[in-house]
Amino acid sequence: MPWLSLRVSGWLLSALLPLTAHAASIPQQEYEQVLRSQPDLVHGEALIATCAACHGPQGAGVSDGSVPAIAGQHFRVIVRQLVDFRHDKRWDLRMQHFSDQHHLSGTQDIADVAAFISRMPITRASDHGSGEYLRHGGEVYARLCGSCHGPAAEGDERNPRLAGQHYEYLLRQMHDALEGRRPNFPRDHVRLLQRFELADLAGVADYLSRLGS
């Protein structure tokens, strides 16, 4: 009976939708719970030792693009990325490992380490691009990026600080977003980057890496 098949299919779909919606909401629930926590900076300083193995004791990252500078990044930005790594909404084997529940047991740990990182002195990249597209990159940034990330790329609690970030890391993240390796990258940002030529990407990354240096 076709009508019975349709009714059964409809019932199955309606039964599964709440489960899907619930699963999709878990990262957001965890994120919001972290924001309600009262950070313990002393505990955060103890937790940062694990992060320092890759990001360095000053949170300065690595110039080859493999590890970003994180010191002084906005608290909510750090929390969002940690939660996304924990729930496979952002991919990096090391970060997915060190942000899991064996290393950050719960929302309080995330709040503690994120708060400590956000209060660390900001570092500046020592590596930059060739300078060939530097001026062009500044113009592109001012026209298309500054409205969200700020005129000096200082960011805010929704948008990451980009000023002084490593050139190779910035370039790699833009390419990862364009090639589908950053599932948590905002879709409107991906659409924006799709308008960029290679000179735009290199120029913006070069410009940002030099800000504040």
Side-chain angles (χ1 to χ4, degrees):
M1 300 179 183
W3 62 269
L4 180 60
S5 176
L6 287 172
R7 287 185 64 182
V8 171
S9 298
W11 178 84
L12 286 172
L13 181 61
S14 63
L16 289 173
L17 279 175
L19 295 176
T20 304
H22 175 70
S25 70
I26 290 175
Q28 184 63 24
Q29 290 174 4
E30 185 172 67
Y31 173 76
E32 292 172 358
Q33 188 173 345
V34 174
L35 299 187
R36 291 193 295 268
S37 303
Q38 182 63 42
D40 179 345
L41 293 178
V42 174
H43 187 224
E45 185 174 13
L47 290 172
I48 197 67
T50 300
C51 310
C54 293
H55 292 278
Q58 307 304 317
V62 181
S63 63
D64 66 1
S66 61
V67 181
I70 56 174
Q73 186 59 266
H74 298 287
F75 172 74
R76 291 188 181 214
V77 171
I78 299 168
V79 171
R80 171 59 69 192
Q81 299 311 307
L82 288 174
V83 169
D84 282 357
F85 278 124
R86 283 162 69 87
H87 294 280
D88 297 324
K89 292 169 68 67
R90 185 172 175 187
W91 303 331
D92 180 278
L93 290 177
R94 288 171 299 182
M95 282 302 304
Q96 288 171 281
H97 173 71
F98 286 114
S99 64
D100 67 14
Q101 295 209 3
H102 294 292
H103 296 90
L104 298 174
S105 62
T107 54
Q108 186 64 54
D109 281 0
I110 298 173
D112 296 347
V113 74
F116 186 82
I117 291 169
S118 71
R119 288 165 171 78
M120 295 174 72
I122 297 170
T123 61
R124 302 297 182 188
S126 59
D127 60 303
H128 313 296
S130 67
E132 181 180 1
Y133 305 112
L134 176 59
R135 181 175 178 179
H136 174 68
E139 294 170 350
V140 171
Y141 177 83
R143 187 173 72 254
L144 299 176
C145 312
S147 60
C148 288
H149 291 280
E154 68 276 15
D156 55 32
E157 289 296 341
R158 293 186 59 191
N159 300 288
R161 179 192 308 278
L162 301 177
Q165 186 58 264
H166 298 291
Y167 169 78
E168 291 291 346
Y169 180 79
L170 292 165
L171 204 55
R172 176 184 148 202
Q173 294 308 305
M174 288 190 283
H175 280 291
D176 281 356
L178 285 168
E179 294 163 21
R181 293 189 295 271
R182 275 287 303 265
N184 74 336
F185 211 83
R187 292 183 180 179
D188 57 338
H189 280 52
V190 175
R191 287 193 294 269
L192 176 64
L193 290 176
Q194 288 171 342
R195 297 163 52 188
F196 282 28
E197 302 290 342
L198 289 178
D200 301 329
L201 297 171
V204 168
D206 196 0
Y207 174 75
L208 292 171
S209 72
R210 297 171 192 261
L211 285 179
S213 59

